[in-house]
Each structure stands twice: as C-alpha cells, then as structure tokens.
Amino acid sequence: MTRVFDTATGRVRGRAPDRGVVAVLGIPYAEPPFGADRFREPRPRRAWAGVRECVEYGPVSPQSAELPGAPRWSPGDEDILSLNVWTPERGSGADTRPLPVLVWIHGGAYTFGSSAQPDFDGAALARAGLVVVTLNYRVGFEGFGHVPADGEDGCPPNRGLLDQIAALEWVRDSIASFGGAPDNVTVAGQSAGATSVACLMTMDGARGLFRRAIAHSAVGPVFAPELAGHLARKVAAEAGVPATCAGLAAASPHALVRASDAVADGFRRDPHSGHISWDPVIFGPVADGRLLRADPVGALADGEASDVDLLVCHTTQEYWLFDAVGSSAEVATAEELSRFARDFGIPDSVLEGYHRIVPGASVHEIYLAVCGDLMYGEYSNRLAVAHAGAGGRTFLSRFARQRSGSEPGVYAWHCADVPFAFGNIADESAHFLIGGPPTPEDHRLSARMVAAWAGFAATGDPGWQPLGDASRAAIRIWGAADPAAGSGFWRDGEALRELWNPFTYRPAQP
C-alpha cells in the first residue's frame, strides 16, 4: 500500500505500515492561529509543494500539562492545528469500497490534552475496519477564553469548537484519499471532547459534516456569556493586561497559560467562590446565542440534531479518578457536603436519596458519587434522553468494570473506558487507569467495545437496542463490578437517575 496520499492542500507521506495499518501524523488542517490570526476563526491551510513528511505528531496547543507519551507545549510552538489518520492497508484485489470514518476529539477540561496521547492511537480501530482521525484544537484561553470586541472587528467565542469544525471540513474534502467515506463520518469524544461533540451536533457550522456521534462522559453544563466574561477579566488581571482584545493579544500565550493556572488555583483555595471552587475549570463552550445557541441538552430536546445517531456512555464512578490523583476536594463532614449541594443548587432530596440507596457510604464517598453524577453521569444521561425524546436514534451504555488487587482499588472511573474502546489496554500508559496489566477478561471486554464503536460508525448499530425499547437491555452495561474493589453505586444506577429528576441544568453563571 502507498504511504503517500493526496489532500486538498498537498501530498503527505505517512509511516511505514505496521500490522496492516498506515499512520499519517501531524497533517496541518488550518493555518497557525497566532500573529494576526490569534483569537480568530481558523483559516484554511495554504497549499504546499512536494510531499510533506507526516510521521510525527504535531505540536500541542498552549498548556502547562505534561502528559505521558504526548508532546509538551513549548513557547514558540505555533503550528498546532493538525490531525492524524490511521487507515487499513489494502493490497491489490482487496475490497476498495470507502470505509466508515471515526473522528476523535480529546478531552482535558478544555484546558489541556492532545491527540498524541497513547490512549488515542487509532490502529486497533483501523484494524476493525475504520479510517480513524484524531485532532488537536485550541484549548485554554486561546480556544475558549472570552475576548471582548474592539469595535466591529470582534473575536469569536468557542474558537476551539470552530477548530473542530475546520478539521471536519478537512475530513470532508480529503478523507477519500485515505480510503474513507466522507458521507459516513462519526464524530466521537470523551469528557470535554464529548461535550464538544454534543455542541457540534447543534451548531449550524457543523451541519452535514457527520451523521453519527459518540459521547463518553460528557461534562456539563456549558458556560453563560456572563461567566466567560467574568473569568476572562480575572485572567487578564492576573496577566497584568487590560481585558480588551488589544490587551489580551499583547499577552503571550505563555503568559495567559500561567495566569489561567493561577486563577484556577485561586478558586480552588477560596471556599467562598461558589460552585467553581469545587472543580475550578475556567474554560468551556459558551452559549453565546449565535455560534452555540444553547446548552446541548436543551437544543437536543428541541430536535436540533434528530437526524444524527447518538451513542452515549458514562462510567459509573466518574469522580473517583480525581480523588485518586489528589485533585478532588476533601469533603469529610455533613456541613461540607451540604455546602457543596447548595453551591450547585442540588435539592436536599438528592443527598438524602444517595444516603438511602448506599447506607454504608462515608460522607466523602457520597460526595464523590454525587459530584461525578452531577458533572458527568447525569449530564450524559440527560443528553441521551433529550435526543431520544426528540426522535433521535439514541443508544445508552455505562462502563462498570472495576478491579481489586491494588491499593486503592481501581473503580469504574473517569477515562477508564477510553483505552478499552480504542483497543489500547495493553499499552503500559493505560495501566494506571485500568489497575495494572489487562486480564484475559479485560481483552474480551475491549474487543466487544471496539466492535460496538466499529459497528455504530459503520451502520448505526452498536449491538443493542436504542432507547425507547421497553426492556432494560436498552442500556448496555460494560464490564462487571468487582465487589472487592469498592462501593457498588453502579448496582442502583436507575434509582440514582430518578433522584436527579428535580434538578435542572442551566448554563453556568458567575
């Protein structure tokens, strides 16, 4: 199979085939978003002459995170809008019909992350019959910070989402050269990437660029413009620049990264700063009324994407990961738990219900369960129910696989499902998430999840019934919880969902 492919902007050469898959890495899909293009919509990439070598991942968006196995951002890295393609090797005489395409959007609290994380290697999914695309987009202030308009020449909000649309346009224009079908595209993501997917489903600019969507552990709600403006003023003050377009543009990307980290840390240290003190994510999509008209839950309920098939998954113990890595608040008393609930407007009946369903849980365990469901589990569930209620074909699943034998036990926590769905559980980088080297049962579970993604991307059928079926089989549970691994909140998933009925998600305010 050739390693040289034509794209809309020039020819690219990928790596040599590896076990039947060719990887083409670091393909630019837009111009570097700096200089005169900083804080602007992504501009189409200029064409290049000759063959561009695409054998290494591209630079990442400005961020302070240093992720294992992924490039670090360094000041001066500007050519950050790139993507990667994995395509199955097909020799002479092989079936040459176009293959379904899966486009992956990484998570990272809209603040960090990259397509180069080992979890996201697309080779196993390509061997399952997909052409896989992963992409970098602007995160942090560069991608989601509010930049006030100076006169009529304003900078758009949601620039990270606009980058994702530009990447999908590149797929439409160029993926056929890699053996992909531009009319059979599934866009997928996890965490911030999953909510990005939900936003794209409702945005006019993304209309027609994909026909299916996968959202694992979507986090919500999105921001109100007032919150985005408030946070931008905080970052500008910390950076020592005016909160104007010119003032923010005068601050280097590195300066805004440092200022953003300081603002987030300040919220974390200030218990009087309200809901944002508990999990200080200071960037996210903004329901500006134009590019993103509303939070996706409401937009999907209004039928804005009823022609798009949707597959939703969340883990059953999302927030245990943040406790394990030391980024969760320490909640040990009933008063602290009540303050948390008040800050988010959670009805007393929700806390009472969790105590009733899991009577032996500690206050801290109740906090982890409620916080994880508030931010991920219930929000994901609402996306699925809203879409199905508006007539959209919708599939719902939950990842419940636990594992004992380590200290502490490994739960069905945030991100643990991703290496299973990508087929990358054997990579050493996944061992922390899954609790060590995979077992034979883990490999079987991963194979089933890979097949579900591949089937859904190909035909819209992941292997179980869509929501609306009268049986509980309409919700697929991935993996069995190990009773020795920890508390079994997952067993009462439907009862927990009912507790949240009085709660309403609205765009987050200051």
Side-chain angles (χ1 to χ4, degrees):
M1 179 181 180
T2 181
R3 295 165 49 205
V4 178
F5 304 87
D6 292 322
T7 76
T9 49
R11 306 182 79 198
V12 295
R13 179 184 288 111
R15 292 180 173 178
D18 180 13
R19 292 184 292 163
V21 174
V22 174
V24 191
L25 309 178
I27 307 171
Y29 67 84
E31 286 293 302
F34 295 99
D37 293 330
R38 194 175 181 203
F39 305 141
R40 307 289 176 176
E41 295 185 20
R43 282 202 304 117
R45 187 71 182 202
R46 291 188 296 267
W48 58 81
V51 178
R52 186 183 186 100
E53 296 294 327
C54 290
V55 296
E56 301 293 339
Y57 292 104
V60 304
S61 179
Q63 59 189 271
S64 59
E66 297 181 1
L67 302 173
R72 300 176 181 177
W73 178 73
S74 298
D77 287 347
E78 295 192 344
D79 204 359
I80 60 173
L81 299 183
S82 66
L83 52 77
N84 319 292
V85 180
W86 286 262
T87 184
E89 187 178 20
R90 294 196 280 182
S92 60
D95 187 348
T96 58
R97 286 178 295 183
L99 297 173
V101 180
L102 186 139
V103 179
W104 175 255
I105 300 174
H106 70 77
Y110 308 102
T111 304
F112 62 90
S114 92
S115 62
Q117 293 169 234
D119 291 3
F120 310 150
D121 185 293
L125 287 168
R127 294 186 190 101
L130 304 180
V131 174
V132 180
V133 180
T134 67
L135 62 103
N136 288 346
Y137 59 97
R138 281 174 284 184
V139 299
F141 202 98
E142 302 297 322
F144 292 95
H146 173 71
V147 180
D150 285 358
E152 296 183 359
D153 188 20
C155 298
N158 299 313
R159 296 177 295 278
L161 298 180
L162 295 177
D163 293 344
Q164 295 162 14
I165 291 174
L168 287 166
E169 291 173 337
W170 181 96
V171 169
R172 176 196 62 198
D173 297 338
S174 297
I175 204 64
S177 295
F178 298 81
D183 61 348
N184 193 13
V185 174
T186 296
V187 62
Q190 186 262 352
S191 195
T195 307
S196 294
V197 167
C199 291
L200 293 172
M201 291 175 68
T202 72
M203 295 175 69
D204 291 340
R207 197 81 64 195
L209 294 176
F210 55 94
R211 64 192 299 182
R212 300 186 184 95
I214 298 173
H216 276 228
S217 299
V219 56
V222 301
F223 286 8
E226 295 81 2
L227 178 58
H230 170 70
L231 294 170
R233 291 188 291 274
K234 288 271 192 182
V235 172
E238 183 67 33
V241 299
T244 62
C245 182
L248 289 162
S252 69
H254 184 51
L256 292 185
V257 167
R258 287 187 301 178
S260 300
D261 287 349
V263 169
D265 188 58
F267 282 127
R268 183 177 286 107
R269 294 172 182 273
D270 180 10
H272 303 294
S273 54
H275 65 86
I276 202 167
S277 70
W278 297 94
D279 188 26
V281 174
I282 65 170
F283 299 113
V286 179
D288 68 311
R290 186 175 64 87
L291 289 173
L292 183 63
R293 287 186 287 273
D295 187 89
V297 169
L300 293 182
D302 290 340
E304 292 210 4
S306 58
D307 58 333
V308 177
D309 298 340
L310 175 63
L311 170 58
V312 173
C313 182
H314 66 85
T315 73
T316 55
Q317 293 169 305
E318 297 273 3
Y319 221 69
W320 266 256
L321 174 69
F322 303 97
D323 187 54
V325 300
S327 63
S328 168
E330 289 295 328
V331 176
T333 68
E335 192 282 326
E336 290 172 328
L337 184 61
S338 295
R339 180 167 60 84
F340 158 74
R342 288 195 303 271
D343 283 345
F344 282 96
I346 299 172
D348 292 341
S349 59
V350 173
L351 295 186
E352 293 166 0
Y354 275 78
H355 281 293
R356 182 175 64 253
I357 292 172
V358 196
S362 68
V363 168
H364 190 59
E365 286 178 322
I366 294 292
Y367 165 71
L368 294 177
V370 174
C371 192
D373 285 344
L374 167 72
M375 294 185 180
Y376 303 102
E378 180 58 18
Y379 187 77
S380 295
N381 189 69
R382 295 283 179 96
L383 288 173
V385 171
H387 191 57
R393 187 171 168 84
T394 310
F395 299 86
L396 179 59
S397 58
R398 293 174 184 148
F399 184 85
R401 177 261 187 199
Q402 295 178 322
R403 184 171 179 176
S404 60
S406 58
E407 292 294 337
V410 172
Y411 299 89
W413 54 28
H414 198 61
C415 299
D417 51 334
V418 174
F420 281 88
F422 267 87
N424 292 330
I425 58 173
D427 192 288
E428 189 173 351
S429 64
H431 289 182
F432 169 74
L433 287 176
I434 71 173
T439 66
E441 177 54 36
D442 288 335
H443 283 291
R444 289 189 289 270
L445 174 59
S446 180
R448 294 194 296 272
M449 294 182 70
V450 168
W453 271 21
F456 181 74
T459 67
D461 182 4
W464 64 93
Q465 294 297 310
L467 289 182
D469 185 278
S471 72
R472 287 181 58 86
I475 302 176
R476 172 60 55 91
I477 304 298
W478 293 117
D482 182 341
S487 302
F489 297 104
W490 70 277
R491 294 184 183 86
D492 299 297
E494 295 314 301
L496 294 178
R497 298 282 73 78
E498 292 178 8
L499 294 176
W500 288 95
N501 287 340
F503 182 80
T504 300
Y505 285 97
R506 297 183 177 87
Q509 298 281 348

